[in-house]
Amino acid sequence: MTHGNGAPAAPPRSTLVVTAHAGDFVWRAGGAIALAASRGEKVTIACLTFGERGESARAWREGKSLEEVKAVRREEAEKAAAVLGAEVRFFDAGDYPLLATAELTDGLVALYRETQPDIVLTHPTEDPYNGDHPAANRMALQARILAQAIGYPGEGDIIGAPPVFYFEPHQPEMSGFKPEVLLDITEVWETKRKAMECLGAQQHLWDYYTDLAARRGAQLKRNAGPNLGLAHRTMAEAYMRPYPQIAKELA
């Protein structure tokens, strides 16, 4: 594909989302994913586990086996990703606990090099309620560094240093999370809600994350200035940045 002047067209922007469990990307970053996809950007979701042991209580109570629980969570995540417009990759690394292995590291490095992300979304560094989330954070950041190293073995071109955004954990006050970026997801909110409703195994979270989006939307309006034409009911997601923002002007 080329532009009218014969120059090759730039590839679409790429987002890589690294999550511990099959539903995490929907609750925490579904709006960001849907926004990127709506602009024609490529979004790839790395689900390190299905959340089969620790986040599928309803399926266990129904008497399903481990493999049946995994199949349920896979189907839910695939449906949700399709609604959001993203591709999901499953690593099936096992949850509760999620443990780093050389194979898992190699797989993540390969995915970084394949997708060449412009931004990375992942869990924050703290979560006293779920050790899998900080574990996924460590793996995502380590793979990002290794994927930049020309001497690290594996296929694909090395990457640059894509900005990283930490999405909001379920218990932000207990996880050292402070909203530093408020993302307006109003235009894709119904898409995110539809994706949330694909996650029947965690139906108890649908209203919680709807209420959270409304609260973050209220905060966004309070910080956005008076003349931006924001919707009466603005919906938002909150993020933190572990690395400095690079800019040529302050905004």
Side-chain angles (χ1 to χ4, degrees):
M1 181 178 178
T2 60
H3 291 298
N5 60 8
R13 276 173 55 87
S14 172
T15 296
L16 177 61
V17 187
V18 181
T19 65
H21 310 111
D24 292 338
F25 69 91
V26 182
W27 314 120
R28 294 158 169 81
I33 292 168
L35 276 175
S38 73
R39 296 190 294 260
E41 300 175 15
K42 177 178 175 59
V43 184
T44 308
I45 302 160
C47 277
L48 302 185
T49 83
F50 294 110
E52 63 271 14
R53 297 184 188 277
E55 300 194 348
S56 305
R58 179 177 175 180
W60 286 106
R61 292 191 186 103
E62 293 171 353
K64 290 183 169 57
S65 68
L66 177 63
E67 291 308 312
E68 288 173 331
V69 173
K70 286 184 180 183
V72 168
R73 297 309 306 277
R74 175 191 282 271
E75 182 180 8
E76 289 182 352
E78 287 176 339
K79 287 181 178 178
V83 167
L84 296 172
E87 176 189 2
V88 60
R89 308 278 187 94
F90 299 103
F91 284 73
D92 194 12
D95 68 327
Y96 277 61
L98 169 60
L99 301 175
T101 64
E103 181 182 14
L104 183 53
T105 298
D106 285 347
L108 275 175
V109 170
L111 188 57
Y112 269 95
R113 289 179 172 176
E114 174 192 341
T115 59
Q116 294 287 312
D118 294 284
I119 64 166
V120 176
L121 310 180
T122 193
H123 299 269
T125 59
E126 300 178 43
D127 191 336
Y129 296 96
N130 194 318
D132 289 358
H133 296 158
N137 166 279
R138 292 191 296 272
M139 294 175 202
L141 296 189
Q142 181 188 42
R144 174 183 173 274
I145 293 169
L146 296 176
Q148 298 174 55
I150 195 167
Y152 191 87
E155 296 182 3
D157 295 331
I158 61 172
I159 67 169
V164 177
F165 294 84
Y166 293 165
F167 41 64
E168 184 165 3
H170 189 64
Q171 297 278 3
E173 299 87 350
M174 299 299 294
S175 301
F177 184 88
K178 180 179 179 181
E180 295 173 337
V181 178
L182 292 168
L183 180 68
D184 188 343
I185 62 168
T186 307
E187 67 183 79
V188 295
W189 167 249
E190 292 303 325
T191 301
K192 178 174 180 176
R193 175 71 193 201
K194 183 178 177 183
M196 286 163 50
E197 292 175 359
C198 292
L199 304 180
Q202 294 178 291
Q203 186 172 347
H204 61 287
L205 295 178
W206 295 359
D207 288 343
Y208 175 91
Y209 280 99
T210 297
D211 293 342
L212 178 60
R215 292 200 304 276
R216 293 307 187 199
Q219 292 174 339
L220 186 151
K221 288 196 291 185
R222 178 66 179 82
N223 287 278
N227 300 311
L228 297 184
L230 295 170
H232 174 68
R233 188 174 189 237
T234 299
M235 308 295 272
E237 290 174 344
Y239 293 86
M240 289 181 68
R241 296 198 61 155
Y243 301 114
Q245 178 180 347
I246 306 304
K248 292 186 178 181
E249 63 180 34
L250 295 177

